[in-house]
Amino acid sequence: MHELSLSSAIVNTVVKHADDRPVTVVYLRVGALRQVVPDTLDFYFEFVARGTVCEGARLEQELIEARLRCDECDHEWAIEIPAFRCPSCSGSRVTVSSGNEFEVESIEVEETQCIGQR
Ligand SMILES: [Zn+2]
């Protein structure tokens, strides 16, 4: 169900930036650690978008791999499964440097046509 609240967050953000122009595409960056199911997000987005400028817009989801960074030596690496020890120096004080993203990267809107007023 958390895809529903994420969808609401997306639509709210996009509506704020769309300035009443119909939105055609929403580019989204989703960190792997968010454990979002793309199809489920699509489904809820379409549902939440109804009646807003986002209605009918396509959701483009870019998955961001999860990366960790060692606090000791700044080594950074991608993780498949949680492995919270630095493979470079074996340090255990590490910081998640990517994987928690959930942000609207950009949107595309329909341009209002200005037909020759001269
Ligand atoms: Zn290290």
Side-chain angles (χ1 to χ4, degrees), residues 37-76:
V37 181
D39 286 350
T40 310
L41 191 62
D42 263 342
F43 174 82
Y44 282 117
F45 175 76
E46 198 185 318
F47 175 76
V48 176
R50 275 178 211 161
T52 76
V53 290
C54 294
E55 186 163 345
R58 186 160 50 88
L59 201 54
E60 283 283 323
Q61 304 181 38
E62 182 194 351
L63 186 69
I64 309 298
E65 67 179 2
R67 299 181 67 82
L68 294 183
R69 189 177 56 240
C70 176
D71 293 345
E72 311 287 344
C73 73
D74 268 354
H75 181 70
E76 194 179 286

Side-chain angles (χ1 to χ4, degrees), residues 97-113:
S97 49
S98 75
N100 268 321
E101 292 84 355
F102 192 83
E103 60 201 25
V104 174
E105 167 94 335
S106 62
I107 61 175
E108 281 178 18
V109 297
E110 282 176 17
E111 291 299 327
T112 313
Q113 295 207 344

